[in-house]
Amino acid sequence: MSNSSSTAGAGAPLTTPESPSGVISNFIKDIISEDLRTGKHNSIVTRFPPEPNGYLHIGHAKSICLNFGLAKEYGGRCHLRFDDTNPCKEDIEYIESIQRDVRWLGFDWQQFLYYASDYYDKLYEYAVALIKMDKAYVCELTNEQMREYRGTLTETGKESPHRNRPVVESLELFERMKNGEFEDGKLVLRAKIDMNSPNINMRDPIIYRIRHTTHHRTGDKWCIYPMYDFTHCVSDALETITHSICTLEFEDHRPLYDWFLKALQTECHPRQIEFARLNLTYTLMSKRKLLELVEKKYVNGWDDPRMPTISGLRRRGYTPEAIRNFCEIIGVAKSNSTVDFAMLEYCVREDLNKKAMRVMGVLKPLKVVITNFPDGLVEECDAQNNPEDESAGTRKVPFSKVIYIECDDFREEPPNKFFRLAPGREVRLKHAYYIKCEAVIKDENGNITELHCTYDPATKGGWSNDGRKVQGTLHWVSAAHAIPCEVRIYDQLFTKANPDDSAGGDYKQNLNPDSLSVLYPCFVEPGLKMAGLNDRFQFLRQGYFCLDNESTPEKLVFNRTVSLVDSWAKLEKKMQQPKK
RNA sequence: UGGGGAGUCGUCUAAUGGUAGGACAGCAGACUCUGGAUCUGUACGUGAGAGUUCGAUUCUUUCCUCCCCAGCCA
């Protein structure tokens, strides 16, 4: 990897950061490296510009990692700027959540926190300047008329009758707009560009509209609000952004971005670069749809662990490291793409495997009585906390006559390759003893209620000194010491890889009715009493878990972040499938 | 049917005129007190055609497919 980057004497090592192996390049880095090499810029300034009208999701994480990551890698800076120009949809709650999420992801905007609304005065002045240059005018067309005049994709537009009104008239009208003399929608300020442009964005786009709405930051100071296209480029320029990175759908807006800045002759003229937004299988990235899921209670809030939101992933147990690594390995390009959800799961498993403390928890308990184990005796078994990390140490786990094992770990009639417990079969209890199933106890309906097993005292710790081998190792919890708790198992929120793929065109038809399963009582080893909200656990042989924020000391609630790779489940599924 | 983009293993993504590589997913095996992890092996791709060239994913050209744009949203 390092041998290919020996650029033949490119000659500006000062500004060309060493790509440490493992850092993946992309076309944006190529552009930046070139800009630095040629001296176009000495350092870079990027920005992450969310609109505070919803919670951040994993797609935003890609953008955050890109923008902040670029700044970090090239020794520049990245601004956090709220693009708050539409008070009808925005809210202070979102501003707070966005800051929390960006910070949690591990990024720091330092003192560079901005709001487009901070620029309202300047934006107004720039708009006036545009009018004075005869590059903008106040238009009285109604919404409907405006649409007619705009033309279509294949037909050019018509010029507004107000297009050539005198500058002074527009100036006066615009001031009166600002002063609140007109009701919503009555007048707009438009850029005077070209109604015949094949690019619809250039057909005299609206710059300002009237909205008698209280803004979450500026209150009632303004009743006119600038539109995105005007606001964004000006904000970028004011902040001396060097590279304005946005998603593909704004490609068509770039000529407009450049038109404004050229007309206004701003000192700084950032370069807009577009990349493909993230799509993930089995989930949605549309803010509108995520909002609908929240508002119509298909999920339990923005931080529902099934949501692809940062707050949902956090609650689910994902780590910032896992998400950052994910954003790194998926790459950045310009073609629309949909990343396999398995890639995200891979990242969280990889991270948690290194960090998570191993514990034992039984999700679907089956009672086992060790018939030859002394009544009342409690033994302490030594258990490794993390085989991947020696420094994590060991702990003691109590073992006694009555324990719980996993229902799935016993089969009265074991199928081929089932290595777990069955009548007459011997298995190992992790960290404890070999046990052998001697009897299956059932109720009057034939349901298994408990197992009677015997243990071999000579196998303490889980080893046999006679070379005898067992095929399976089970996790378990001592019944007398177990803590009952609730465990929430999550599955995909949607049943289809592309949730938008539905007959009626309604993604909600693809909602997975089994996306949440609540298990109770589950039993976990006693040490888990001390679990904290930031702890991550691997329930041995099951998956990674964390405490849910609804958990209380009286009733522990765990979320399953992700299951372990389960090759038995895979095998079993395959065996069940009819041979073709 | 105007304009703007994009087409590389199943999925992401490299290679910019010189061996099509990596990751995830898949398959097979080794190892293992987690059927985890780890390790090994394996299969799978340049949208199609024509041209330039010793040589094309890369350059030219024709075609095909997909995405975005007709908010007083961003």
Side-chain angles (χ1 to χ4, degrees):
Chain A
M1 181 168 278
S2 54
N3 57 352
S4 62
S5 60
S6 56
T7 38
L14 254 182
T15 51
T16 309
E18 201 79 280
S19 278
S21 60
V23 174
I24 302 163
S25 193
N26 58 54
F27 77 99
I28 298 178
K29 291 187 186 180
D30 292 345
I31 291 172
I32 292 175
S33 296
E34 183 66 7
D35 287 347
L36 257 17
R37 191 187 66 79
T38 60
K40 180 178 178 185
H41 299 295
N42 294 319
S43 66
I44 65 159
V45 186
T46 57
R47 101 268 91 112
F48 173 62
E51 183 190 9
N53 67 344
Y55 276 58
L56 258 27
H57 54 60
I58 183 79
H60 293 110
K62 178 179 178 182
S63 176
I64 292 165
C65 291
L66 216 207
N67 279 293
F68 280 93
L70 249 16
K72 189 172 184 185
E73 186 175 343
Y74 289 91
R77 62 175 201 258
C78 180
H79 298 180
L80 174 61
R81 179 173 73 231
F82 289 98
D83 222 332
D84 56 350
T85 56
N86 185 359
C88 307
K89 291 184 177 177
E90 296 156 6
D91 195 280
I92 194 84
E93 177 197 353
Y94 299 128
I95 290 181
E96 286 164 1
S97 75
I98 288 168
Q99 296 194 43
R100 184 163 59 236
D101 290 347
V102 173
R103 256 191 224 107
W104 179 78
L105 275 175
F107 297 103
D108 181 9
W109 53 86
Q110 300 168 290
Q111 71 269 42
F112 307 108
L113 173 64
Y114 301 101
Y115 296 82
S117 52
D118 288 341
Y119 308 135
Y120 281 173
D121 287 306
K122 283 177 183 160
L123 254 359
Y124 181 79
E125 284 168 28
Y126 274 124
V128 169
L130 240 25
I131 298 172
K132 286 181 178 166
M133 286 184 269
D134 200 20
K135 287 177 190 285
Y137 61 97
V138 172
C139 182
E140 296 170 37
L141 253 29
T142 64
N143 211 329
E144 296 72 37
Q145 289 172 318
M146 192 90 73
R147 196 182 313 127
E148 281 171 33
Y149 277 68
R150 188 156 36 225
T152 67
L153 294 178
T154 51
E155 300 160 42
T156 60
K158 272 188 305 190
E159 295 191 347
S160 160
H162 314 113
R163 194 174 203 264
N164 292 313
R165 77 175 358 138
V167 165
V168 283
E169 204 177 304
S170 281
L171 242 22
E172 189 206 324
L173 252 16
F174 186 47
E175 173 148 15
R176 289 175 60 198
M177 277 168 66
K178 184 189 73 166
N179 293 340
E181 294 184 29
F182 305 100
E183 51 194 72
D184 288 9
K186 208 71 184 167
L187 299 178
V188 292
L189 182 70
R190 300 175 71 179
K192 192 187 283 191
I193 307 181
D194 180 6
M195 290 308 290
N196 294 317
S197 172
N199 181 346
I200 291 180
N201 295 304
M202 300 299 272
R203 318 235 262 233
D204 290 10
I206 293 171
I207 303 177
Y208 265 93
R209 77 287 214 191
I210 301 171
R211 282 268 183 292
H212 289 272
T213 304
T214 302
H215 187 278
H216 47 98
R217 295 194 82 242
T218 58
D220 293 320
K221 179 177 176 189
W222 297 89
C223 64
I224 54 171
Y225 292 95
M227 298 285 289
Y228 165 84
D229 286 301
F230 182 61
T231 309
H232 205 87
C233 58
V234 169
S235 302
D236 280 348
L238 290 172
E239 292 176 21
T240 66
I241 302 298
T242 55
H243 302 269
S244 180
I245 300 165
C246 63
T247 44
L248 253 27
E249 68 270 28
F250 292 104
E251 212 145 16
D252 282 348
H253 295 240
R254 188 170 2 114
L256 185 49
Y257 184 103
D258 291 330
W259 186 90
F260 279 126
L261 295 187
K262 189 172 174 228
L264 295 168
Q265 295 180 60
T266 53
E267 270 181 56
C268 170
H269 189 142
R271 172 169 176 185
Q272 177 178 307
I273 304 170
E274 310 84 12
F275 73 100
R277 59 157 16 109
L278 171 68
N279 293 295
L280 258 189
T281 55
Y282 297 101
T283 192
L284 286 171
M285 233 53 100
S286 150
K287 271 197 198 175
R288 199 204 95 226
K289 289 170 188 164
L290 294 178
L291 210 209
E292 188 182 12
L293 291 176
V294 172
E295 286 187 332
K296 296 190 179 165
K297 313 245 189 249
Y298 290 102
V299 296
N300 305 311
W302 285 101
D303 70 341
D304 186 299
R306 292 166 295 181
M307 290 282 273
T309 50
I310 304 297
S311 52
L313 292 167
R314 174 169 58 231
R315 184 170 168 192
R316 173 90 169 244
Y318 275 72
T319 57
E321 292 81 0
I323 294 173
R324 276 190 258 125
N325 185 238
F326 172 75
C327 292
E328 180 70 18
I329 68 171
I330 57 173
V332 177
K334 288 197 70 159
S335 58
N336 289 309
S337 58
T338 303
V339 176
D340 196 332
F341 197 87
M343 194 86 90
L344 219 207
E345 294 191 321
Y346 162 80
C347 288
V348 74
R349 285 191 186 109
E350 181 191 54
D351 188 44
L352 260 17
N353 178 48
K354 290 179 295 195
K355 300 174 181 168
M357 161 133 172
R358 270 60 171 175
V359 296
M360 292 195 286
V362 174
L363 268 33
K364 293 175 186 160
L366 173 59
K367 185 177 171 187
V368 173
V369 179
I370 318 283
T371 52
N372 59 339
F373 196 84
D375 290 338
L377 177 64
V378 177
E379 286 196 6
E380 297 281 319
C381 302
D382 286 308
Q384 218 178 353
N385 286 331
N386 186 352
E388 302 290 319
D389 177 11
E390 207 59 44
S391 71
T394 61
R395 68 187 185 286
K396 301 279 189 192
V397 184
F399 181 80
S400 62
K401 187 181 180 81
V402 181
I403 62 171
Y404 293 113
I405 65 166
E406 206 66 55
C407 249
D408 294 343
D409 284 339
F410 175 79
R411 288 290 179 82
E412 200 167 13
E413 292 169 17
N416 200 18
K417 296 197 177 156
F418 182 84
F419 298 153
R420 286 115 87 145
L421 198 60
R425 197 184 274 186
E426 188 173 51
V427 297
R428 171 169 39 234
L429 293 178
K430 181 79 177 175
H431 308 308
Y433 292 99
Y434 284 10
I435 58 166
K436 188 174 183 180
C437 178
E438 309 286 359
V440 180
I441 314 300
K442 297 180 182 177
D443 63 16
E444 62 273 20
N445 298 319
N447 298 318
I448 299 172
T449 55
E450 63 180 70
L451 264 26
H452 285 183
C453 297
T454 53
Y455 84 116
D456 178 354
T459 57
K460 177 151 194 187
W463 292 104
S464 160
N465 51 14
D466 62 4
R468 175 162 42 108
K469 293 227 164 146
V470 289
Q471 282 197 110
T473 299
L474 313 187
H475 59 276
W476 53 273
V477 175
S478 166
H481 305 84
I483 306 174
C485 62
E486 176 177 312
V487 173
R488 298 175 184 173
I489 305 290
Y490 304 100
D491 195 358
Q492 302 293 1
L493 229 201
F494 295 95
T495 54
K496 285 196 177 170
N498 175 12
D500 283 318
D501 173 21
S502 69
D506 184 7
Y507 71 96
K508 295 191 291 301
Q509 304 209 322
N510 292 325
L511 243 8
N512 177 7
D514 302 317
S515 58
L516 168 65
S517 332
V518 177
L519 269 28
Y520 185 88
C522 305
F523 295 107
V524 293
E525 61 178 76
L528 251 22
K529 250 194 314 263
M530 312 301 289
L533 263 179
N534 290 319
D535 292 331
R536 297 287 185 280
F537 302 98
Q538 183 195 100
F539 286 13
L540 235 43
R541 304 205 305 133
Q542 309 249 41
Y544 296 97
F545 294 78
C546 69
L547 229 41
D548 186 79
N549 59 22
E550 289 177 353
S551 185
T552 64
E554 292 72 41
K555 184 189 178 189
L556 297 182
V557 179
F558 288 94
N559 291 321
R560 186 175 74 184
T561 306
V562 64
S563 69
L564 248 32
V565 170
D566 190 345
S567 50
W568 162 245
K570 213 183 291 177
L571 217 199
E572 192 180 31
K573 197 175 170 187
K574 210 191 300 176
M575 291 192 301
Q576 281 169 356
Q577 253 151 29
K579 293 179 192 99
K580 287 175 187 169

